[in-house]
Amino acid sequence: MQRTSKAAIWAVILVLAASAPAARAQVATYYVALNGNDSWSGTRANPNPKGTDGPFATFDHARTVVQALNKTGLTQVVVEFREGMYFLHHTEVFSAADSGTASTPIVYENYPGESAAITGGVPVQGWTNVRGNEWQATLPASTQYFEQLFYNGERRLRPRLGTTARAECDQVVDEATEETGHDDCRDLGEYLRMVGPVYLASQPAAGTTDAANCPVYVAGSGWECFDRFYYKASDPISGTWMNLTPPTPSPSPTCDASSGSTAPVGDIELLDFEKYTASKLRISCVDSTNNIVYLTGPAAFVTQPAAHGFIPLHRYLVENVQDELKYPGQWFLDRSKSPMVLTYLAKRGENPNADSVIIPQLTPVLEAFNLQYVTFRGLTFEHDNYTIPAQGHADTEIPYDIGAAVSIQNSQNITFDADAVTQTSGAGLEFIPCTNPELATRCLMGIVNPSGMTANNVVKNSAFYDLGEDGVRVGIQSLSQDSVSNVPQYITVENNVVEGYGRVFPNAWGISQGDGHNNTYTHNDVYDGYHAAIGICQCTSVMPASGGVYNNTISFNRVYNLQQGIMNDAGSIYIAAGNAVFTAAGNQILNNIVHDVNDASALDGSPTEAVCPAGLPCDGYGGHGIYLDTQTGLVDVENNLVYRVSDADLNFPMTPPAPNEENTVQNNIFAFARLAAINDGDPYPTGSVPPSPIQTFIAKSNIFYFDRNYTSSPSFTVQGGCTYSGGYTYPDYQLWESNLYWRTDGAFASDATAFHVQPLAGADSPCTDNTAKWTFYTFAGWQQQPPTTTPPLNPGEDVDSVVQNPGFANPIYPVDDYRLPGGSPGVGFVVFDLSRIGRSNPVILPPPISGTFVTATFNPATDF
């Protein structure tokens, strides 16, 4: 056989290679630029010299090109956005047809080194100077109603009723103008105080408006109405405001007649600060004879009506009063004119014709349904136009009816990486399951799919700031058609920052989850919010078909500067995973830092105050660090540092529903709580002691560090809440063992009121706040063995626990150094690394965000 030489073989190979078609590129890349053209190929990052080819001009065209692209052989499709703001003409909508695959994902990202913002707003141009600092612009006839405005990237407020009387307002300095004065405080308006709700003497007839709005009977008062309230005669409420238009027919024959306003009914808004909710409602008319304000719709009252509505002495705020348009930085949209006219009062040095003035117009900015394998990287989304409906927003614990700027529905394997969502009217980013008809109004084109999946999505390295409501929302409360497969699952929210949220709707969460399982929230920074930081809430009183909220992990997050005197009843880190019939398993709260939490008692007074200032409700409460709500059990709370909270470091309002479902509280540092280290509020929610002992928690190997005691004002106790064990030995009720206690005066071991127990059932069955019914113990008495059930009890708690200085480096404000340079202080405590908590290598550093409400905090040096 004749052999062919190697040289001949290589010659054949080279000839064949030269004659073969060029191999197709594995990655297809397109570009979008402000100087682009949708008739070009989009494959060039810049226009060519002849101006015949270059990048696309619009997001939407790039999306349609990618959708139609034959992706055979491709490993990835990339769309890169060049520098600039991309003003959308309509919501950018993604459907299943826009999906990638596991082998060919699709990426929409910023061009390297450049910033691209996708905005649902439009710039306002053509301003005319009317007089002084007053400017006006006649808006295009197509302009949609809006409730937010951003001037040079800063949220500006509509005129609010009243001025503040705070002395610190005199010291406010506008950094841009170097003016000193009241302007910023006046922008925030004045809190007025409710007289109380209106009651009807007799039950309203079925089918009437009053029947719908006044449904709750209160013994001794009548039928409570949730669409009206009494105001103080001295409050600056007027039935003749320029933009107040009573409806026809009027809700009351005694309402003031119209002043001739042709503005839409409900143009003036009212924010009602309830307890843990804040309804944003619209004023219908004013009865100045009887001092009653009527609203176009009611506050929520379905559950716990005493927590909603118009609670005596609670705050309310009136916004968008045309008569109050007086102070620089304010604006007003005149809807009585067609087309609408926008007025802005400029601050010194401002010229709206030269500056950026943006009004939101699209709701949402981006929306996706049934999308898969798509990544959004390095982009900014802003200026959604969520507005409250005509009947107002009746607030609930997790108000999922408030829309988000970016709404991802029934979608899987979606990634947000190094993105920003900011300057929103509603929430930031949401992943919601459009699987239930109850959600039709929140889903793309009203479509729901019971078998849809929301799974395997990732949010990482991103920033959510200056937000109207929540930062990141994962799912909603449990609904009837939820199943194990169709609720949000295997979602990761990691290494993000959420800052300045709740700027429109103060009952907001930095990160919230409804029904869902196997989700992870880790290494996030959440701060400067008016309510809670990270919360998971099943929010249903029945056994959910989905199995409830199980196997979720909240870990390595740093959350702080929360509530700010605005809201009550907030767990900075919160799980509600149980009810009277079951509790979900596998949830974890691990390695988090929580600090500086100030509930509404900072503004409104507290029931614990010996003397409450006149005119305040004195019902502020619930500035908790970690909160396991309703009858949640089986949660592992471990390796957390919680300090400077205005209520309890850890709060359990109720016991788990059954024995052997206790929560584990282990290896935590609980420091400087104002009222209690661990609070067990109502272990007997049915009002009677169960036939078998139900243990709420096991607290083991924790460090408790504090400087307050039972005689402090307000009073501090290590174990707060109900202390009645139901006739069982105390460790069967709550078990404390191998803990370390240290009060900074060094006298805790000899304190005769260190701990306390209620030996017998109280008048309020079975718990009582009557301290005369309590038995107090020293630390040694608290440990006394064996546990007994016959008064006076031997509690038998805290076996192997000690009173000892743990040796923190310097935990005193403002140093706040809780490291343990000497290592473990004993009691089985394992030192954990505080430096690993929070974001690592932050990608985005958002700026400080201006407040939108008057806030208050306790003195961090003396009040905790």
Side-chain angles (χ1 to χ4, degrees):
M1 175 184 288
Q2 185 176 3
R3 301 181 63 182
T4 305
S5 69
K6 290 184 179 180
I9 294 173
W10 276 110
V12 172
I13 292 173
L14 291 173
V15 170
L16 292 174
S19 61
R24 188 173 183 178
Q26 290 186 313
V27 177
T29 302
Y30 296 96
Y31 302 91
V32 182
L34 297 182
N35 62 350
N37 189 313
D38 283 345
S39 66
W40 292 344
S41 70
T43 57
R44 298 175 61 99
N46 297 287
N48 64 11
K50 295 182 179 180
T52 58
D53 195 16
F56 296 137
T58 66
F59 191 160
D60 198 54
H61 184 70
R63 181 191 58 77
T64 59
V65 168
V66 171
Q67 182 187 103
L69 179 67
N70 181 356
K71 302 173 183 67
T72 303
L74 295 178
T75 58
Q76 190 178 66
V77 180
V78 178
V79 176
E80 294 189 349
F81 289 80
R82 302 300 306 267
E83 184 83 25
M85 292 187 71
Y86 293 83
F87 293 95
L88 302 181
H89 298 294
H90 55 77
T91 296
E92 194 63 47
V93 176
F94 283 75
S95 66
D98 297 298
S99 295
T101 64
S103 58
T104 310
I106 298 172
V107 178
Y108 294 84
E109 66 182 12
N110 65 308
Y111 187 83
E114 297 184 0
S115 300
I118 314 301
T119 171
V122 299
V124 180
Q125 299 172 329
W127 292 90
T128 300
N129 183 241
V130 178
R131 66 183 68 83
N133 70 334
E134 182 178 345
W135 295 76
Q136 286 188 345
T138 300
L139 302 178
S142 59
T143 302
Q144 301 296 306
Y145 167 62
F146 55 93
E147 296 176 347
Q148 307 300 315
L149 178 146
F150 298 91
Y151 194 103
N152 286 343
E154 181 180 276
R155 188 187 303 268
R156 295 291 167 83
L157 303 179
R158 298 180 294 178
R160 292 176 173 177
L161 195 61
T163 60
T164 61
R166 296 180 300 149
E168 61 264 33
C169 294
D170 290 324
Q171 306 305 318
V172 169
V173 178
D174 186 312
E175 294 180 358
T177 65
E178 298 184 352
E179 281 189 307
T180 301
H182 291 282
D183 289 351
D184 288 345
C185 290
R186 284 172 172 165
D187 282 350
L188 301 183
E190 178 185 8
Y191 291 132
L192 303 175
R193 298 282 177 174
M194 304 278 180
V195 171
V198 175
Y199 296 95
L200 303 182
S202 58
Q203 184 175 8
T208 63
T209 301
D210 280 354
N213 295 330
C214 311
V216 176
Y217 180 73
V218 178
S221 297
W223 297 87
E224 183 176 351
C225 296
F226 290 81
D227 68 336
R228 67 201 75 167
F229 67 92
Y230 287 108
Y231 65 90
K232 291 187 292 187
S234 58
D235 285 349
I237 301 295
S238 172
T240 59
W241 280 320
M242 295 167 60
N243 60 320
L244 178 62
T245 307
T248 302
S250 175
S252 170
T254 53
C255 268
D256 297 346
S258 172
S259 61
S261 169
T262 56
V265 174
D267 200 40
I268 298 174
E269 297 176 10
L270 179 143
L271 188 59
D272 170 29
F273 293 86
E274 297 156 312
K275 288 200 173 178
Y276 51 82
T277 53
S279 292
K280 195 171 178 65
L281 306 170
R282 297 185 180 278
I283 295 180
S284 171
C285 69
V286 173
D287 175 357
S288 59
T289 300
N290 297 299
N291 298 332
I292 299 176
V293 171
Y294 288 83
L295 291 312
T296 60
F301 50 79
V302 177
T303 60
Q304 296 184 310
H308 303 285
F310 309 106
I311 303 168
L313 298 180
H314 270 235
R315 289 169 276 122
Y316 71 99
L317 192 65
V318 181
E319 181 176 271
N320 200 42
V321 180
Q322 186 175 2
D323 311 60
E324 294 293 311
L325 184 63
K326 302 174 183 177
Y327 304 112
Q330 292 180 333
W331 61 275
F332 178 77
L333 178 64
D334 190 346
R335 295 198 282 164
S336 69
K337 294 182 172 61
S338 183
M340 296 183 290
V341 174
L342 176 62
T343 300
Y344 178 72
L345 301 184
K347 294 185 177 184
R348 184 182 299 175
E350 290 181 343
N351 179 345
N353 279 322
D355 296 335
S356 167
V357 183
I358 294 180
I359 56 173
Q361 288 291 280
L362 299 180
T363 308
V365 177
L366 184 146
E367 188 170 25
F369 188 86
N370 284 348
L371 190 66
Q372 295 193 54
Y373 294 104
V374 173
T375 293
F376 300 93
R377 181 183 296 123
L379 302 176
T380 295
F381 299 90
E382 54 194 14
H383 306 138
D384 69 302
N385 190 31
Y386 176 81
T387 59
I388 63 172
Q391 72 275 16
H393 165 68
D395 202 20
T396 56
E397 191 163 12
I398 294 186
Y400 65 86
D401 55 313
I402 295 175
V406 180
S407 182
I408 310 298
Q409 307 157 14
N410 284 9
S411 296
Q412 303 178 64
N413 299 292
I414 307 300
T415 298
F416 281 81
D417 182 8
D419 295 307
V421 183
T422 183
Q423 298 177 27
T424 69
S425 301
L429 168 66
E430 67 179 4
F431 294 94
I432 58 173
C434 286
T435 55
N436 194 299
E438 295 178 57
L439 279 177
T441 58
R442 292 280 285 106
C443 300
L444 179 63
M445 299 176 62
I447 301 172
V448 294
N449 176 11
S451 61
M453 288 193 67
T454 301
N456 301 306
N457 302 311
V458 176
V459 183
K460 62 182 180 180
N461 307 320
S462 295
F464 304 86
Y465 59 98
D466 197 358
L467 305 161
E469 204 239 357
D470 291 358
V472 179
R473 178 188 297 149
V474 178
I476 62 164
Q477 68 187 50
S478 179
L479 296 174
S480 58
Q481 293 190 14
D482 287 355
S483 67
V484 172
S485 62
N486 71 11
V487 297
Q489 54 198 274
Y490 298 100
I491 292 172
T492 300
V493 180
E494 179 178 12
N495 206 46
N496 305 286
V497 57
V498 183
E499 179 219 2
Y501 55 98
R503 277 353 196 209
V504 179
F505 303 94
N507 172 28
W509 303 71
I511 302 170
S512 71
Q513 180 195 306
D515 199 0
H517 58 85
N518 295 95
N519 301 306
T520 301
Y521 308 93
T522 188
H523 288 288
N524 301 289
D525 290 337
V526 183
Y527 58 95
D528 189 10
Y530 299 137
H531 201 212
I534 303 175
I536 297 173
C537 186
Q538 172 197 296
C539 294
T540 184
S541 60
V542 299
M543 173 67 183
S546 64
V549 292
Y550 61 89
N551 291 352
N552 299 290
T553 299
I554 302 173
S555 64
F556 292 97
N557 303 286
R558 180 185 295 271
V559 307
Y560 59 97
N561 191 19
L562 303 170
Q563 292 186 261
Q564 301 181 38
I566 300 294
M567 301 297 296
N568 284 312
D569 202 357
S572 305
I573 294 180
Y574 173 98
I575 294 179
N579 55 40
V581 295
F582 97 111
T583 191
N587 294 305
Q588 298 177 302
I589 299 175
L590 311 173
N591 295 90
N592 302 280
I593 294 179
V594 181
H595 65 94
D596 290 287
V597 182
N598 292 266
D599 60 42
S601 61
L603 264 174
D604 296 340
S606 165
T608 61
E609 295 183 51
V611 178
C612 186
L616 298 182
C618 287
D619 61 2
Y621 73 102
H624 300 301
I626 296 172
Y627 193 144
L628 303 185
D629 205 355
T630 57
Q631 294 181 258
T632 296
L634 301 173
V635 177
D636 183 10
V637 180
E638 191 169 346
N639 292 2
N640 300 283
L641 166 61
V642 182
Y643 63 97
R644 281 202 304 272
V645 299
S646 58
D647 207 314
D649 287 311
L650 173 59
N651 183 52
F652 300 94
M654 300 178 188
T655 189
N660 304 313
E661 294 180 342
E662 67 277 354
N663 299 282
T664 300
V665 182
Q666 183 169 325
N667 215 76
N668 302 281
I669 301 171
F670 295 129
F672 296 122
R674 189 167 161 84
L675 300 184
I678 298 180
N679 187 74
D680 193 357
D682 186 1
Y684 311 112
T686 62
S688 61
V689 177
S692 300
I694 297 179
Q695 192 176 72
T696 303
F697 61 85
I698 297 174
K700 182 177 181 179
S701 300
N702 302 285
I703 297 176
F704 297 96
Y705 194 93
F706 46 96
D707 61 359
R708 301 171 63 81
N709 57 43
Y710 178 72
T711 62
S712 298
S713 182
S715 181
F716 170 85
T717 54
V718 172
Q719 37 48 291
C722 178
T723 59
Y724 177 58
S725 65
Y728 303 107
T729 59
Y730 216 75
D732 286 335
Y733 163 62
Q734 44 182 238
L735 177 60
W736 305 66
E737 62 181 7
S738 298
N739 297 296
L740 182 150
Y741 298 88
W742 185 250
R743 197 170 68 203
T744 55
D745 64 0
F748 185 66
S750 60
D751 188 343
T753 57
F755 294 90
H756 64 278
V757 168
Q758 178 193 333
L760 301 174
D764 50 357
S765 184
C767 301
T768 181
D769 291 328
N770 183 356
T771 58
K773 302 291 186 180
W774 295 354
T775 299
F776 289 93
Y777 298 88
T778 62
F779 179 67
W782 173 247
Q783 291 179 304
Q784 189 169 345
Q785 301 285 339
T788 60
T789 59
T790 304
L793 303 179
N794 290 345
E797 291 282 14
D798 267 315
V799 177
D800 298 324
S801 294
V802 299
V803 176
Q804 173 188 310
N805 190 332
F808 292 130
N810 188 351
I812 306 304
Y813 175 84
V815 180
D816 301 338
D817 189 344
Y818 288 87
R819 291 176 301 160
L820 290 162
S824 172
V827 297
F829 184 86
V830 178
V831 177
F832 51 96
D833 187 355
L834 297 172
S835 68
R836 296 179 56 212
I837 299 174
R839 288 192 298 166
S840 60
N841 300 318
V843 174
I844 302 173
L845 298 174
I849 304 302
S850 298
T852 50
F853 304 105
V854 175
T855 61
T857 60
F858 292 105
N859 187 323
T862 60
D863 290 341
F864 294 93

